[in-house]
Amino acid sequence: MEPFKNDLTVFSEYFIDMMEKIFDPIPVPIILVDHDTKVVMINQVFADFLGQHREDIIGKKVAHVDPTTRFPDVFKKRRSEIAWKHQFSNGRTAIVHRIPVLDEQKRVQYGFGMLLFEDVQEFRDIISKNKLLESELKKAKSQLKEIRGAKYSWDSIIGKSERMQQALYLSKKSAETTSNVLLLGESGTGKELFAHAIHNGSERAHEKFVKINCAAIPAELLESELFGYVEGAFTGAKRGGKVGKFELAEKGTIFLDEIGEMPLSMQVKLLRVLQEKEVERVGGNKTVEVDVRVIAATNQNLESMIVQGTFREDLFYRLNVMAIEIPPLRERDGDLILLAEKLLEKVAEELGKIVPDIAPSTMSILEDYDWAGNVRELENVLERALNLAESTEILPIHLPYSITRHHVHKKVKQGSLKDIMEETEKEMVLSVMKETGGNKRKAAEKLDISRSSLYDKLEKYEITD
């Protein structure tokens, strides 16, 4: 079809009739003007919006129809105006498009106009609904990810010590493969955190991450949990049967925590699944192929268990493809301060409290402790301290006695009893003075001594208000 000519007479009645048939059924207000801004076509819905008869509009310059029109400016600049707010001469406001159509010599041939929204409130409502939908979508994605399993990534793992960096390096390498992974380490070191991160760092990140604690499920139920069962497999079996964890994790990752607690009878069946890559539901006679990446974890010495006959050697070697040892906190030189600060932020957010500082004397006590419970124990201690703190600092007095006692015993080995007792007393007085904001009456009450005794100690240790 050739571009519209300068003279409206070139438009035959047939052509106009055809354009009307095209334009009118469209529920969106549309207008077409020629190079001289004369209205060539306008559909009925636009005419109704303007409050004019269509017959009175056709052939007139658009400025006569709507004195506030910007088509002359659009033609002059030869630039489209997309989603512009425009107030028409009849007082109505809308969001509009104005588009100039140019020929090969960049001359304006005609202009196309369309109302995107017939009033600004409608536009605002759409934007509001869109924002709400985006918010709901984001929430749904978050919930879906939580349902699917893996919540943590590499950024969730805190630690700059050499041992921790080595564990991270091996974990990231294992994430690039589909090989089985065996996470080794004491209780509370963060093995599950690593399992999540490995899954999220792998090509299976968008698939399911299914967790199962082998120690938390009775031995007689573990098989049906892992492999599922068919209807009627046993008394109490659900109608229609049940899908097992391995089938649920199809294309994704299954995390077998506390693998050392798995009964020997189940170890045999797990080994078959790992070798054949297929499962058979309890009570069934059909096998189902599964494509699942296995990450196992334990705080036990599996090699010793093999010698004792409580863990199968063939299963150990099948799982032990990529073995990663997560170091205990006591062997992570320099990580405790960083960990304590990050964990305190996390706990404070969960409890809805302001994040306090950790006093240097408190940090010194924390660094001296052995942390048999590792990171989990540290987090619990910090949560306790945060609940007890009445100031903007975590002080030694907020720590459990078992931890402060360990600190004192360690210092006794390094100096005389008199020096240790005086240093401990000084730390206690300093802590209470900070906690009470320098209020001597409250500090004396908290220390269960007289005010005069408190003044003596303040003078002795040169503690100012």
Side-chain angles (χ1 to χ4, degrees):
M1 185 186 298
E2 291 185 2
F4 295 112
K5 304 299 183 181
N6 297 347
D7 193 340
L8 274 174
T9 58
V10 301
F11 289 95
S12 66
E13 290 183 6
Y14 170 78
F15 185 73
I16 293 173
D17 182 61
M18 182 184 70
M19 293 295 287
E20 286 177 350
K21 287 178 181 178
I22 294 173
F23 274 56
D24 271 342
I26 299 174
V28 179
I30 294 172
I31 191 171
L32 195 66
V33 301
D34 69 6
H35 82 289
D36 201 27
T37 73
K38 289 180 181 179
V39 179
V40 174
M41 181 57 58
I42 185 170
N43 63 354
Q44 189 61 52
V45 68
F46 204 164
D48 292 342
F49 176 84
L50 295 172
Q52 301 179 38
H53 295 293
R54 184 163 58 178
E55 295 76 15
D56 296 336
I57 297 174
I58 300 293
K60 288 184 180 178
K61 285 199 172 187
V62 71
H64 294 159
V65 178
D66 175 35
T68 60
T69 183
R70 285 187 48 79
F71 262 117
D73 294 322
V74 169
F75 281 13
K76 184 177 180 180
K77 295 176 182 176
R78 296 196 293 275
R79 187 181 304 159
S80 299
E81 292 181 348
I82 304 298
W84 276 55
K85 178 182 175 182
H86 178 71
Q87 185 168 16
F88 290 84
S89 56
N90 63 2
R92 299 185 70 175
T93 304
I95 304 298
V96 304
H97 290 338
R98 303 183 191 90
I99 304 169
V101 179
L102 312 178
D103 62 15
E104 293 178 355
Q105 283 74 42
K106 304 296 182 184
R107 294 175 302 190
V108 175
Q109 289 296 299
Y110 54 92
F112 176 78
M114 180 175 73
L115 268 64
L116 196 59
F117 298 99
E118 293 188 27
D119 60 70
V120 174
Q121 187 56 46
E122 181 186 1
F123 179 63
R124 288 181 182 142
D125 289 344
I126 292 290
I127 294 298
S128 178
K129 287 177 182 177
N130 186 56
K131 286 182 178 178
L132 181 62
L133 284 172
E134 286 181 355
S135 175
E136 290 297 322
L137 180 61
K138 187 176 180 181
K139 182 179 177 182
K141 283 182 176 179
S142 175
Q143 290 174 340
L144 179 62
K145 189 162 188 177
E146 190 170 335
I147 291 169
R148 292 177 82 97
K151 298 182 288 185
Y152 309 111
S153 63
W154 303 122
D155 292 335
S156 306
I157 300 172
I158 302 164
K160 295 182 178 179
S161 62
E162 185 178 345
R163 290 287 307 279
M164 202 60 173
Q165 287 301 306
Q166 183 181 18
L168 269 169
Y169 171 78
L170 290 173
S171 298
K172 289 179 179 179
K173 282 294 182 183
S174 71
E176 297 172 2
T177 75
T178 57
S179 300
N180 296 331
V181 176
L182 181 60
L183 299 172
L184 305 168
E186 296 176 7
S187 178
T189 51
K191 296 185 291 296
E192 183 172 341
L193 205 67
F194 273 83
H196 282 245
I198 290 169
H199 171 77
N200 275 332
S202 73
E203 292 182 353
R204 297 173 182 251
H206 298 294
E207 302 296 339
K208 290 182 182 177
F209 177 82
V210 178
K211 302 173 288 183
I212 188 163
N213 189 314
C214 300
I217 300 172
E220 62 272 16
L221 298 178
L222 189 56
E223 182 178 2
S224 61
E225 278 294 314
L226 286 173
F227 310 134
Y229 57 80
V230 298
E231 184 175 339
F234 49 83
T235 303
K238 287 183 180 179
R239 195 171 188 178
K242 180 183 176 182
V243 176
K245 301 295 187 185
F246 268 88
E247 287 184 69
L248 281 175
E250 176 66 15
K251 302 294 183 185
T253 302
I254 189 166
F255 175 47
L256 302 175
D257 200 7
E258 304 291 354
I259 190 72
E261 300 292 335
M262 182 176 283
L264 275 169
S265 58
M266 273 303 302
Q267 292 178 29
V268 177
K269 295 175 181 179
L270 175 60
L271 178 63
R272 182 180 179 280
V273 172
L274 297 180
Q275 288 175 334
E276 306 299 329
K277 298 191 182 301
E278 59 184 26
V279 298
E280 184 177 311
R281 294 187 185 182
V282 176
N285 52 19
K286 292 182 179 179
T287 57
V288 180
E289 289 188 4
V290 288
D291 175 14
V292 177
R293 203 268 181 89
V294 176
I295 300 177
T298 184
N299 57 10
Q300 300 188 50
N301 187 325
L302 296 185
E303 291 174 308
S304 296
M305 291 180 68
I306 291 170
V307 174
Q308 296 164 10
T310 54
F311 200 85
R312 291 184 63 94
E313 185 176 17
D314 46 6
L315 177 59
F316 172 72
Y317 288 119
R318 179 66 65 174
L319 293 171
N320 196 38
V321 179
M322 294 290 290
I324 302 166
E325 187 173 348
I326 316 301
L329 187 52
R330 63 183 173 276
E331 295 178 12
R332 294 172 55 179
D333 295 338
D335 280 352
L336 189 130
I337 294 176
L338 184 62
L339 261 173
E341 291 173 347
K342 292 293 183 182
L343 288 173
L344 194 57
E345 288 177 12
K346 173 178 175 275
V347 172
E349 183 179 353
E350 290 172 354
L351 298 178
K353 296 193 175 189
I354 296 172
V355 183
D357 294 324
I358 301 176
S361 55
T362 308
M363 191 64 80
S364 176
I365 294 172
L366 295 177
E367 288 183 298
D368 272 349
Y369 189 58
D370 287 338
W371 299 108
N374 293 294
V375 180
R376 188 180 295 128
E377 183 184 7
L378 174 60
E379 184 173 353
N380 291 341
V381 166
L382 291 172
E383 183 173 347
R384 175 189 188 274
L386 187 59
N387 283 322
L388 293 176
E390 297 175 3
S391 64
T392 57
E393 267 192 318
I394 299 294
L395 305 171
I397 197 172
H398 301 138
L399 301 177
Y401 174 66
S402 58
I403 293 179
T404 53
R405 180 184 60 190
H406 179 275
H407 180 65
V408 171
H409 286 175
K410 191 170 182 179
K411 287 205 168 189
V412 166
K413 295 177 182 178
Q414 300 170 352
S416 69
L417 179 61
K418 180 176 180 295
D419 291 340
I420 298 302
M421 289 182 67
E422 286 187 348
E423 185 175 344
T424 303
E425 185 178 62
K426 180 180 178 181
E427 284 183 359
M428 290 295 292
V429 173
L430 272 169
S431 294
V432 173
M433 287 294 289
K434 284 184 178 181
E435 188 176 7
T436 58
N439 188 310
K440 297 180 180 64
R441 180 181 61 79
K442 288 183 179 180
E445 289 175 357
K446 212 165 186 63
L447 291 167
D448 196 21
I449 59 176
S450 65
R451 291 182 69 179
S452 59
S453 295
L454 176 62
Y455 280 110
D456 289 342
K457 295 181 189 302
L458 293 174
E459 183 179 355
K460 175 182 178 180
Y461 299 124
E462 298 179 346
I463 298 173
T464 57
D465 293 351

